[in-house]
Amino acid sequence: MKAITLLGATGSIGTSTLDLVARNPERFRIHAVASGRDWAKLADIARASSARVAVIADEGGYRPLREALAGTGIDVRAGEAAMVATAAEPVDLVVAAIVGAAGLAPTLAALEAGTTVALANKEALICAGDVMTAAARRSGARILPVDSEHNAIFQVLEHVERVSRIVLTASGGPFRERSRAEMADVTPAEAVRHPNWSMGAKISVDSATLMNKGLELIEAHHLFGVGPDRLGVLVHPQSLVHGLVEYVDGSVLAQLGPADMRVPIAHALAWPERIPTPVKRLDLAMAARLDFEEPDRARFPALALAEAALAAGGCRPCVLSAANEVAVGAFLDGRIRFLEIADVVAETLEALPAAPVATLAEVAAADAEARARAHSFAAHRARR
Ligand code: NAD
Ligand code: MG
């Protein structure tokens, strides 16, 4: 029986995780569930999953959550410090599925405690990859990738020193075939309508700008210890091949599967075993074709910005990611236009110097400064 702490329980990954846990009660039990603001949904989840602990990041959610769970015996906690302390409690697996930089401190706490982490919160590795992997090395904690491309690569990776290239596939998002002019006026509703995957709003917008794939290159660098020269991206509109590893002998191993996050989540939950999932099976005869093309960095400049940040290292990926979170938020709120997301990220990167980051405190400082700059660039654009 694996005891699981689920961070980000109310989100898209959290919901899929709970579905798999509920289908396998003999294998998994929920120790703690944690989320951001939605105390009512968290209360429902805590009850339904028989969690022992429920943590809400928003302190204002403490009272209503406690009242909603009165008489259940579930231990109710609130605030960032409680989130971090809960993540450090001994369990077999922490599923890190908070969105954005908010996931950094609890993910690090789990790794420092030596707990295996099923990582969906890619921002943890993008902003603080060296800090996270160093903590995992020190404690012996293992990071199991949940992001579908990285999970795919994890499944086919052996002898990393014999790898000549790792390729992440990208669906190309909803605007794959659009010109810049055709992307100028797209609405948030159009941008979050992903052709293949159902996901949270932020990552859906990141998929539409291709920033997601850039962030995933940085994630892959930290997960697999491979430099940018051996990492690539291929646009693959069907989203059936999730990742490819080419070896020095010319062999290419790829993982295929339906575009359903429950496949990689199930892999990470059950690893090193496998569990059945209810997902629709991959039918290659029905799919009929698998297309691949080079990404177009002129139409999707966010990808090139991320590649440059990866090459530069230090604080640059954190600045990129923080500025992107702000810019995506401004776009979703209707304050800036779609193409301005990459503009705000580029302006923020230009405004801030490169610097090394060795601790979570230094990462937090770089993150805060990047957010402040990005907010002012976004506000400036919004006023125009
Ligand atoms: P989501 O927006 O659906 O859910 C986010 C979760 O984080 C919610 O439970 C929310 O309450 C919680 N949260 C937000 N702010 C918080 C805070 N300050 N403290 C604690 N909890 C907080 O997002 P999602 O799509 O499930 O994505 C989660 C992570 O997984 C992201 O990093 C994303 O990039 C990654 N990911 C998601 C998918 C997918 O298919 N959804 C695929 C690959 C990777
Ligand atoms: Mg992905």
Side-chain angles (χ1 to χ4, degrees), residues 3 68 166 242 246 279 381:
I166 286 179
H242 303 298
E246 183 193 296
V279 307
R381 286 174 174 276

Side-chain angles (χ1 to χ4, degrees), residues 8-13 35-37 57 83 97-100 102 120-123 147 198-200 203 261:
T10 58
S12 164
I13 295 286
S35 73
R37 300 192 145 266
M83 186 84 50
I98 293 173
V99 63
N121 177 223
K122 61 186 79 180
E123 294 88 351
D147 208 347
S198 154
M199 309 183 284
I203 183 175
M261 283 306 293

Side-chain angles (χ1 to χ4, degrees), residues 33-269:
V33 286
S35 73
R37 300 192 145 266
D38 187 348
W39 59 265
K41 190 167 181 188
L42 186 64
D44 289 345
I45 286 171
R47 278 177 191 271
S49 65
S50 306
R52 300 186 182 172
V53 179
V55 196
I56 187 100
D58 172 24
E59 311 230 5
Y62 177 69
R63 269 173 163 274
L65 181 62
R66 205 187 49 187
E67 276 158 28
L69 293 176
T72 60
I74 298 171
D75 182 0
V76 174
R77 306 171 186 172
E80 159 99 22
M83 186 84 50
V84 169
T86 304
E89 284 175 357
V91 283
D92 299 294
L93 185 71
V94 168
V95 177
I98 293 173
V99 63
L104 262 66
T107 301
L108 183 62
L111 292 173
E112 283 175 338
T115 308
T116 303
V117 171
L119 188 84
N121 177 223
K122 61 186 79 180
E123 294 88 351
L125 283 179
I126 291 148
C127 302
D130 291 337
V131 178
M132 299 286 161
T133 53
R137 264 196 307 278
R138 272 196 306 274
S139 70
R142 189 181 268 279
I143 303 176
L144 300 172
V146 167
D147 208 347
S148 55
E149 299 77 2
H150 306 74
N151 181 268
I153 287 154
F154 179 68
Q155 292 198 39
V156 295
L157 187 63
E158 45 185 47
H159 308 300
V160 76
E161 67 288 353
R162 292 283 175 260
V163 167
S164 51
R165 205 167 142 74
I166 286 179
V167 177
L168 309 178
T169 56
S171 68
F175 310 135
R176 180 174 58 87
E177 294 179 302
R178 295 209 193 175
S179 66
R180 299 270 300 166
E182 287 165 336
M183 282 186 267
D185 295 318
V186 299
T187 63
E190 289 175 284
V192 300
R193 209 175 301 132
H194 195 278
N196 305 338
W197 299 95
S198 154
M199 309 183 284
K202 190 253 176 186
I203 183 175
S204 297
V205 175
D206 287 348
S207 300
T209 59
L210 289 202
M211 179 60 89
N212 184 50
K213 213 47 55 178
L215 296 175
E216 290 184 351
L217 286 172
I218 303 169
E219 182 184 11
H221 162 68
H222 289 293
L223 279 171
F224 307 121
V226 167
D229 53 318
R230 288 195 291 162
L231 289 170
V233 172
L234 263 183
V235 173
H236 165 47
Q238 291 88 3
S239 295
L240 299 177
V241 178
H242 303 298
L244 308 98
V245 178
E246 183 193 296
Y247 290 90
V248 288
D249 59 6
S251 290
V252 178
L253 301 193
Q255 186 262 3
L256 288 76
D260 186 321
M261 283 306 293
R262 287 177 299 179
V263 176
I265 296 170
H267 182 264
L269 290 180

Side-chain angles (χ1 to χ4, degrees), residues 188 205 323-338 340-341 344 374-375 377-379 381-382:
V205 175
N324 180 59
E325 272 193 56
V326 170
V328 170
F331 169 68
L332 287 171
D333 291 348
R335 285 180 279 127
I336 64 171
R337 305 203 305 172
F338 180 73
E340 291 181 314
I341 296 172
V344 167
H375 271 298
F377 288 126
R381 286 174 174 276

